[in-house]
Amino acid sequence: MTNGEESEPGVLRSAENSQRATFLELFFDLVFVFALTRISQRLITDFTDRRSTLLSEAGQTLLLFLALWLVWTFTALVTSRLDPDQPAIQLVVVGTMFGAMVMAVAVPKGFGEHAVIFAVAYLALHLGRTLFLFLVHRRDRDVPLRLFIWLGLSAVPWLFGAINDDAGLRAVLWTIAILLDYGGAVAGWPIPKLGPAPTTEIPIAGEHLAERYQQFLLITLGESILVIGLTFSGASFAVDRTTTFLISFLTTVLLWRVYFHQAGHLLPVAITTARQPARFGRSMSFSHLFMIAGIVLTAVGYELSITHPLEHTSPVWLYTMLGGPALFLAGRAQFEYQVFARVSRSRIGGLIALVLLTPAMLLVPPLAVSSAAAAVLAAVALADALRSRRRTMPEAPTPPT
């Protein structure tokens, strides 16, 4: 942080603040455990009951997921810049927690009869939080003002989409709204004559933000464990289902291993040593978005493969069983580039292998598909381990940002 901001009293973090996440932030994350289960369950329904409209239904679920992710990542950025031990900031976190809970409850029918509830909760927590921060943040109101203006723009398609009964038009309007919200974050919320927010002047607690991303990814892996356990607990202990259960658990362990190898462990150092920590922190949001979406998709594949281990593999199921790990590896490759300015060949090799396996997987049951996906992730993890053993010196982060 700059010297001026270190000495500023009030809600800003100081250099003496603990970099660890507070208990309130961990409590806040529990809402997203529930939210991820609602997203997973909605996707499972999309891939089983509505195959004729899969693309539109899955696209709707994606929009709901993107809105929830933006709520979490904005909160993480707020508590990495402002002191989460201050009562005012704690009030912001609790209020956001309630709004996110309402959104999560509305997810199953978020594109139907609960569309207004979802959109109003989303806008209320974003606009309310931004206005509150503008009022309590005495010295630097530039970013809250910019954010409030951009949220006001996206509120129009959010609300018009919510009150419109045409699901197709709602999807178009909400797509425009989510693009405005994400586009504003990427561009730095530019406004006429002033341009984007100067990211070099926005201090954040790098170690804290890194820990928050790591915690959310672990939460997503935990939700996968929940899907595995709930699905298998409702099934018999037949050999085929038990084998698929074991493979699903192994896949989750491999996802954890691949994420935390090198880049995952060094993320705190990478953010704190980056030339523009705030910009680097925002870019982390997108690589983690891909990885988390990949894990959620993979968890949907767990339920399909445990429930139907030896049945015919529907082509659309491959989007989860192979597409989930592929999306995770794509996000992990981007993450690695953000930390080291390079991408390991094992990530690219894993992606190519999953693509090349797809045609053959149409001819085998889900048990074989899940085994193949686990084998690819195991090969990536093994390549990582061998590369680390050959390295004589620990690799330091070299973020390109």
Side-chain angles (χ1 to χ4, degrees), residues 15 28 46 62 83 126 135 150 200 209 216 218 220 231 245 257 300 303 314 326 353 373 375:
F28 170 79
D46 293 342
L62 174 62
D83 185 359
H126 271 312
L135 295 175
W150 274 82
T200 55
L209 185 59
F216 196 91
L218 285 173
T220 313
T231 305
F245 163 74
R257 170 63 181 170
V300 173
E303 171 145 342
S314 171

Side-chain angles (χ1 to χ4, degrees), residues 376-387:
V376 170
L377 290 173
V380 173
L382 179 61
D384 289 343
L386 292 175
R387 187 172 61 251

Side-chain angles (χ1 to χ4, degrees), residues 217-218 221-222 224-225 228 244-262 264-265 291 294-295 298 302 321 324-326 328-329 332 346-347 350 354 369-385:
L217 191 126
L218 285 173
L221 290 174
S224 298
I225 294 292
I228 294 170
T244 311
F245 163 74
L246 293 173
I247 291 170
S248 299
F249 179 78
L250 173 62
T251 301
T252 304
V253 174
L254 289 169
L255 292 170
W256 163 80
R257 170 63 181 170
V258 171
Y259 172 77
F260 278 102
H261 178 77
Q262 295 294 329
H265 278 296
M291 288 186 283
I295 294 171
T298 304
Y302 294 158
M321 297 177 186
F328 171 82
L329 287 177
R332 184 57 177 76
S346 61
R347 312 278 179 261
L354 289 169
V369 179
S370 58
S371 299
V376 170
L377 290 173
V380 173
L382 179 61
D384 289 343

Side-chain angles (χ1 to χ4, degrees), residues 308-341:
H308 314 281
L310 297 179
E311 296 181 17
H312 171 70
T313 300
S314 171
V316 299
W317 291 0
L318 296 182
Y319 286 113
T320 67
M321 297 177 186
L322 297 181
L327 188 57
F328 171 82
L329 287 177
R332 184 57 177 76
Q334 181 189 12
F335 177 44
E336 187 173 34
Y337 179 78
Q338 290 167 334
V339 175
F340 295 115

Side-chain angles (χ1 to χ4, degrees), residues 161-221:
I163 64 177
N164 194 289
D165 293 331
D166 186 333
L169 181 58
R170 177 176 295 152
V172 171
L173 290 171
W174 281 13
T175 299
I176 294 171
I178 208 72
L179 287 175
L180 282 171
D181 289 337
Y182 275 83
V186 171
W189 307 290
I191 55 178
K193 296 184 179 180
L194 295 179
T199 55
T200 55
E201 298 177 9
I202 302 177
I204 59 170
E207 292 180 29
H208 174 270
L209 185 59
E211 183 178 321
R212 297 297 289 132
Y213 283 129
Q214 292 166 340
Q215 287 167 347
F216 196 91
L217 191 126
L218 285 173
I219 284 171
T220 313
L221 290 174

